Amino acid sequence: MPAPPALQAWERLISFRPSGPLQAGLNARFSLFGPSRVVHAIEDAKGPVSLDYYPVRVEALPTDGSSTMTAEQLLEFVRRNLNDFVDGSPDGCNFQPYDPNIDTAAWLPPFLPTAFTGAVVSIDMFSSGVNVDDGSVVLSENGPDHWVFSTLWTPDDGGHPVSGNREFGFTPGLAGEFVFYTRGADRTTSFIDSSAAATVFGAAHQLWLSFQRRLAGFVNGNGGRAIVESPDVNRYDWPTVQSTYHHPSTPWL
């Protein structure tokens, strides 16, 4: 396992925790049926930490049929249509509001440009056409240039196979382009998950490769220009990474 180089690009995700009010709301919603704190803590997970980055360089933004999208509009389009930007069955995932009566309005508000933090999304995970596992994430941070998913325990999906955070967003380039990406920092949640770490992280790798491919395909198919760039994916010894890069500022409730 390689020794950590400069990992400042992942430092915020390694240290990120949902806000206190968001934690309190999720605990009140779910903890009656399970653990007292439902958001998974990366420091309580098992095994090495996986740090990944999957970029797509967008040199010309696509159109929405009538005008050229802004970078913010493209990111929001991806969020609202996330299943179109990743492989599903037979090998992939499907994202949907956890409780249609609660989370649909928060994740897909009909008259607002962005979602609400606190929206919980359930993920069906497929292998060879079989729904082999499920997991839940919460929209824990949301802005015009990014959003963050944090993994958590829910009654219907149980524990997520990994504990940590994943960000989707874009950064402006030096020549007027934008780099769209997903970046993750997580560890396997339980000893059972850790025993299947190669499968867990291997499936995630294929999923986010499909995200790159589908995002570039959408841009190129709608009047834009995009290039899939090489991902950066590594696993590191957690205590070594923790000592330098894990410094959360939000307490757990």
Side-chain angles (χ1 to χ4, degrees):
M1 191 173 299
L7 300 177
Q8 285 86 352
W10 286 271
E11 190 167 7
R12 195 179 82 87
L13 281 183
I14 293 168
S15 304
F16 181 83
R17 292 173 178 173
S19 70
L22 181 50
Q23 289 184 51
L26 292 166
N27 290 341
R29 180 177 176 183
F30 294 127
S31 65
L32 178 64
F33 309 99
S36 58
R37 172 174 47 77
V38 297
V39 177
H40 292 327
I42 194 171
E43 63 269 27
D44 292 341
K46 312 302 178 187
V49 59
S50 175
L51 303 178
D52 64 54
Y53 175 66
Y54 296 84
V56 175
R57 183 171 298 276
V58 177
E59 297 177 342
L61 288 158
T63 69
D64 61 4
S66 59
S67 60
T68 300
M69 288 181 167
T70 65
E72 292 83 358
Q73 288 171 334
L74 176 56
L75 182 65
E76 177 62 8
F77 184 85
V78 170
R79 189 192 63 75
R80 285 179 177 265
N81 300 277
L82 189 54
N83 288 327
D84 293 335
F85 289 91
V86 294
D87 287 350
S89 183
D91 297 292
C93 288
N94 181 71
F95 296 77
Q96 58 192 343
Y98 176 80
D99 183 336
N101 296 318
I102 297 173
D103 299 298
T104 299
W107 178 243
L108 299 170
F111 303 114
L112 296 174
T114 58
F116 293 97
T117 54
V120 177
V121 175
S122 177
I123 309 170
D124 294 327
M125 306 173 190
F126 296 97
S127 177
S128 301
V130 177
N131 184 184
V132 295
D133 204 352
D134 302 293
S136 294
V137 294
V138 61
L139 181 65
S140 50
E141 186 173 84
N142 198 23
D145 63 351
H146 76 286
W147 86 81
V148 176
F149 277 151
S150 299
T151 61
L152 76 161
W153 183 95
T154 58
D156 289 349
D157 292 337
H160 194 287
V162 299
S163 297
N165 305 292
R166 176 162 298 279
E167 182 175 274
F168 298 78
F170 66 85
T171 55
L174 299 177
E177 77 279 21
F178 295 92
V179 177
F180 283 74
Y181 65 88
T182 183
R183 184 193 303 276
D186 48 38
R187 304 168 66 206
T188 48
T189 297
S190 68
F191 284 114
I192 293 175
D193 298 320
S194 183
S195 69
T199 299
V200 170
F201 290 124
H205 179 57
Q206 294 303 316
L207 184 72
W208 304 126
L209 289 177
S210 78
F211 174 79
Q212 288 183 290
R213 183 178 68 252
R214 286 174 175 250
L215 176 55
F218 174 82
V219 172
N220 291 326
N222 288 276
R225 186 169 64 254
I227 300 169
V228 172
E229 297 193 330
S230 296
D232 184 355
V233 184
N234 287 287
R235 278 183 275 169
Y236 301 103
D237 176 68
W238 169 246
T240 305
V241 171
Q242 182 181 30
S243 65
T244 303
Y245 298 104
H246 184 246
H247 46 80
S249 58
T250 300
W252 288 120
L253 300 184

